[in-house]
Amino acid sequence: MEHGDPKDPQEHRPAVRPARPEDLPRLVELVHEHVAYEKSAPRPADLADRLGPQLFAEGARLWVLLAEAPDGSVAGYAACSAEFAFWDARHYLHMDCLYLAEEARGHGLGAALMDGVAGLARELGLDQVQWQTPDWNEGAIRFYDRLGATGAPKRRYALPVPAVPAVPAVPAVPAVPAGAPAAATH
């Protein structure tokens, strides 16, 4: 078969690959689409500058897999990091995000991304992937159920931590001058 033949099964197979530095602009576009889809607060304008070192520095502990549409365009992503499950006393792969552009859904890219995430877990020596999805995202829930994943009802919280913690005021204790008798205690 000639390359580019529309009957070539390789031509239409979903492709999943690790993100590269040159993918950051498109990845950030997808993140912003994802944020809007989930009706979340806007993210910082310098997101690419902040994500780049986390993804591509020596010893990075964040991995992003990209899904490519048949035309080679980046149509989705899955972002993962290794985490520790205290109750189980083991590490697992946490999938923080999985997102496909609307026009890319229903073509096997989501399943290909999940296969890629499972492969990443195996490569890292981890035997489980965990993630969350909003309870209103019924399409995602059906998708994950079809994959054989099991859900657990839980609510996710976030607690902002101030840069400089407030220190409670402590009443000043008057200093005892040197040589003065100490107060008696009982």
Side-chain angles (χ1 to χ4, degrees):
M1 248 181 250
E2 234 176 85
H3 180 67
D5 184 335
K7 295 178 185 167
D8 183 351
Q10 295 290 349
E11 193 70 24
H12 297 289
R13 284 187 53 207
V16 173
R17 63 172 176 80
R20 299 182 292 250
E22 60 270 21
D23 295 317
L24 275 172
R26 177 62 179 143
L27 178 59
V28 168
E29 285 176 10
L30 288 167
V31 168
H32 290 299
E33 285 178 26
H34 191 181
V35 166
Y37 177 77
E38 290 202 6
K39 300 168 185 68
S40 189
R43 293 311 192 251
D46 65 343
L47 191 57
D49 294 335
R50 294 170 61 180
L51 282 176
Q54 301 302 315
L55 284 168
F56 305 115
E58 186 70 31
R61 300 292 299 157
L62 172 65
W63 298 273
V64 170
L65 299 177
L66 300 177
E68 290 184 345
D71 67 2
S73 64
V74 174
Y77 72 99
C80 304
S81 60
E83 300 289 341
F84 187 77
F86 188 76
W87 286 1
D88 297 327
R90 70 177 187 181
H91 287 92
Y92 66 94
L93 191 65
H94 172 76
M95 183 174 67
D96 187 56
C97 298
L98 184 143
Y99 178 76
L100 286 174
E102 180 126 13
E103 67 277 3
R105 297 176 193 158
H107 302 288
L109 290 173
L113 269 174
M114 289 301 295
D115 286 346
V117 169
L120 175 61
R122 273 191 297 280
E123 183 182 316
L124 296 171
L126 306 173
D127 64 359
Q128 188 176 59
V129 178
Q130 294 183 20
W131 66 93
Q132 300 170 99
T133 196
D135 58 4
W136 55 261
N137 194 344
E138 294 176 8
I141 292 167
R142 283 191 305 274
F143 170 70
Y144 296 136
D145 287 347
R146 280 195 311 269
L147 293 177
T150 55
K154 242 181 188 182
R155 202 174 276 233
R156 184 176 185 167
Y157 288 88
L159 176 66
V161 178
V164 179
V167 178
V170 178
V173 177
V176 177
T185 58
H186 295 260

